[in-house]
Amino acid sequence: SGIRRRGNSGGGGSAAAGDAARPPPSARSESSGAFLGGPGHSSQSLPVVKHQQPRSAPFIPPEVLNPQTPQDQLKRDELIETQANLSQLIYALQDSTDAPEDKLAKLLLDPSLSAVMGLCAISSIEDDEDDFARAVIAFFDAHSSVQMLLRRFTTKEITIAKTSSTLFRDMSMATKLLSTYCFCTGHEYLKLIVPTVIHQIRACNNSLEVNPSRAGPDVDVHENMNTLLTIADTLLTKVFSTVDQFPVGIRQILTHIQKETAAAFPEMKDVILGVFIFLRFLCPALVSPVNYGIVEDGMLNREHQRALILISKLLQNLANNVEFDGSKEVYMTRCNKFIVNNKDRLHTFYDSFSSEEDIFKAIKVSGGVRFEMKEQKISSLLWILRYINSKQAIIAELMAVKL
């Protein structure tokens, strides 16, 4: 929305090679408290709502207050929309005769999603998007509406993208919500796939370094590259052969994203699937398996971690359909033959992954697409109420900005 904290440069991170998205925060206990006059509640699954700390006011960039370019005007329009969404939410909660949690549930589930979008803007300013995204995903899943939520946010992201090169590259709220959903629904699948790679790497008694400048004098970097390519091929084969075990909810939303992207940027039809399946889902788990709860802390040493990063780089270039040009890492150009040889396999996998007939069959077999978060059906709503209560000061400041 063009607003940021003083001292915070803001901006999203690129999904470039080696950049692993952080998994949503782990479960932590939450103390009870009141929500806009509502009851106290205790939850053992959602993160603690952070108390408001003394801070500087939100910084509204001058170009938002006095736009000079179309981009400045877009930021101004986003801020105006945020103000309207928050005003509608706060006034509706204050004027309602219903219990606060009942009224909030209705507002959040309204097809316009205006309340959610307003609160997402607040979470972006306050730098607690991870916690907020987890609560929102839990709430919408409990109401069998998570696909609607994700479709609206991702479609909007595609609509406002100026070029295909910027599509889903920043850690926007749409990307954050989708990453959180993938983590929650796909964790068991990751535990099926990632250990295959880890076991092979740990079985090697020597370093798998392929960079001559980092390898020791007795390290055969050429043989190590062959080993890494073999492991990467085993991983791909495992992924390609388990498409029917891929979480059907993720397949549904990514197929929707593929269709919307193909309409706006036809050249990105398959690449966009690779961005999410590999860059946003598989590769982060490869790079940080401990954070994802796939292996225990201490099981991997630096050499193991380095091998996982190298395989992740290879998969990301394959997903992006980009060969290594040697400008930065000459030694990685040996992977280009692997990339070329697997293009057809990858396209076949994408076709199977996004097959509507296969997805429909998978839904019938699974009985639905929701993941298990039953204990959060109530606590997620009360968490969001507490969140609103804790952010009243920043909400009031935003609504008071004259535009």
Side-chain angles (χ1 to χ4, degrees):
S1 62
I3 312 167
R4 59 182 182 271
R5 283 252 173 263
R6 286 194 177 100
N8 180 6
S9 60
S14 170
D19 177 33
R22 289 180 303 165
S26 58
R28 290 166 289 179
S29 63
E30 177 186 33
S31 58
S32 61
F35 307 62
L36 296 175
H41 184 75
S42 177
S43 167
Q44 296 300 316
S45 22
L46 286 171
V48 177
V49 174
K50 300 170 184 176
H51 293 290
Q52 189 100 12
Q53 298 294 330
R55 53 165 181 75
S56 60
F59 173 56
I60 312 296
E63 64 269 19
V64 174
L65 299 175
N66 185 27
Q68 301 294 322
T69 67
Q71 185 177 8
D72 294 342
Q73 185 61 49
L74 179 62
K75 292 180 180 179
R76 180 185 175 90
D77 292 342
E78 289 176 353
L79 178 54
I80 292 173
E81 181 182 5
T82 296
Q83 286 181 319
N85 291 338
L86 291 173
S87 295
Q88 180 182 0
L89 170 65
I90 298 304
Y91 293 149
L93 285 174
Q94 291 175 342
D95 295 341
S96 175
T97 57
D98 298 333
E101 57 267 32
D102 293 337
K103 183 62 179 179
L104 178 60
K106 294 177 183 178
L107 291 169
L108 292 174
L109 292 170
D110 185 273
S112 69
L113 292 180
S114 60
V116 179
M117 291 181 179
L119 292 174
C120 283
I122 293 296
S123 73
S124 178
I125 297 168
E126 293 288 273
D127 195 27
D128 50 18
E129 299 104 316
D130 285 330
D131 293 351
F132 184 74
R134 188 166 180 83
V136 169
I137 289 296
F139 172 80
F140 275 85
D141 173 71
H143 290 82
S144 301
S145 299
V146 72
Q147 288 287 323
M148 179 269 289
L149 171 78
L150 295 174
R151 286 179 181 229
R152 287 293 303 277
F153 269 82
T154 54
T155 296
K156 182 178 180 181
E157 184 89 354
I158 295 168
T159 301
I160 64 176
K162 298 297 183 182
T163 65
S164 61
S165 62
T166 62
L167 191 61
F168 291 109
R169 294 295 169 156
D170 290 339
M171 190 53 81
S172 64
M173 201 61 204
T175 305
K176 184 72 70 175
L177 288 170
L178 187 55
S179 295
T180 301
Y181 176 70
C182 288
F183 173 82
C184 294
T185 61
H187 189 246
E188 290 303 312
Y189 179 80
L190 291 174
K191 289 168 67 176
L192 171 70
I193 299 296
V194 175
T196 301
V197 180
I198 293 176
H199 292 156
Q200 288 183 282
I201 291 175
R202 294 186 70 207
C204 298
N205 296 322
N206 56 292
S207 166
L208 291 177
E209 182 57 64
V210 294
N211 183 352
S213 64
R214 296 181 58 165
D218 298 328
V219 174
D220 188 340
V221 294
H222 295 287
E223 183 60 29
N224 284 350
M225 178 61 78
N226 291 335
T227 301
L228 285 178
L229 292 176
T230 298
I231 296 174
D233 185 72
T234 301
L235 172 62
L236 281 183
T237 300
K238 183 79 170 178
V239 171
F240 295 162
S241 64
T242 57
V243 64
D244 60 327
Q245 298 179 58
F246 209 98
V248 66
I250 300 179
R251 290 177 68 184
Q252 275 191 303
I253 186 58
L254 293 191
T255 298
H256 166 77
I257 292 173
Q258 184 188 43
K259 288 182 177 179
E260 295 290 311
T261 300
F265 308 103
E267 74 280 7
M268 292 288 290
K269 177 177 179 292
D270 283 342
V271 173
I272 197 64
L273 282 182
V275 166
F276 282 104
I277 296 173
F278 291 97
L279 275 70
R280 296 289 188 189
F281 183 58
L282 284 172
C283 289
L286 273 178
V287 173
S288 304
V290 174
N291 291 341
Y292 276 76
I294 296 172
V295 298
E296 295 181 0
D297 193 11
M299 284 186 63
L300 302 175
N301 59 33
R302 290 185 180 181
E303 293 179 344
H304 298 149
Q305 193 67 47
R306 171 65 175 166
L308 289 170
I309 290 174
L310 290 170
I311 292 173
S312 177
K313 285 184 177 183
L314 170 57
L315 293 181
Q316 290 183 44
N317 274 50
L318 173 64
N320 278 323
N321 194 25
V322 175
E323 297 178 32
F324 293 95
D325 61 10
S327 59
K328 293 183 179 179
E329 299 166 314
V330 177
Y331 55 92
M332 291 299 288
T333 58
R334 288 195 60 203
C335 299
N336 289 341
K337 184 177 180 180
F338 178 90
I339 293 173
V340 172
N341 290 343
N342 280 286
K343 284 183 179 180
D344 289 342
R345 293 178 71 199
L346 194 60
H347 290 311
T348 300
F349 166 70
Y350 288 155
D351 290 341
S352 178
F353 183 93
S354 59
S355 167
E356 292 186 353
E357 181 180 354
D358 289 347
I359 291 175
F360 179 73
K361 290 178 181 178
I363 292 174
K364 291 184 65 177
V365 170
S366 67
V369 299
R370 297 174 58 228
F371 57 89
E372 290 299 323
M373 278 182 134
K374 293 180 180 178
E375 75 280 3
Q376 295 186 4
K377 289 183 177 180
I378 301 300
S379 62
S380 59
L381 176 61
L382 296 181
W383 190 98
I384 297 172
L385 270 171
R386 185 177 293 138
Y387 183 84
I388 295 172
N389 190 57
S390 73
K391 305 301 180 183
Q392 287 188 29
I394 183 68
I395 291 173
E397 290 171 9
L398 266 183
M399 291 169 61
V401 174
K402 301 296 183 182
L403 295 172

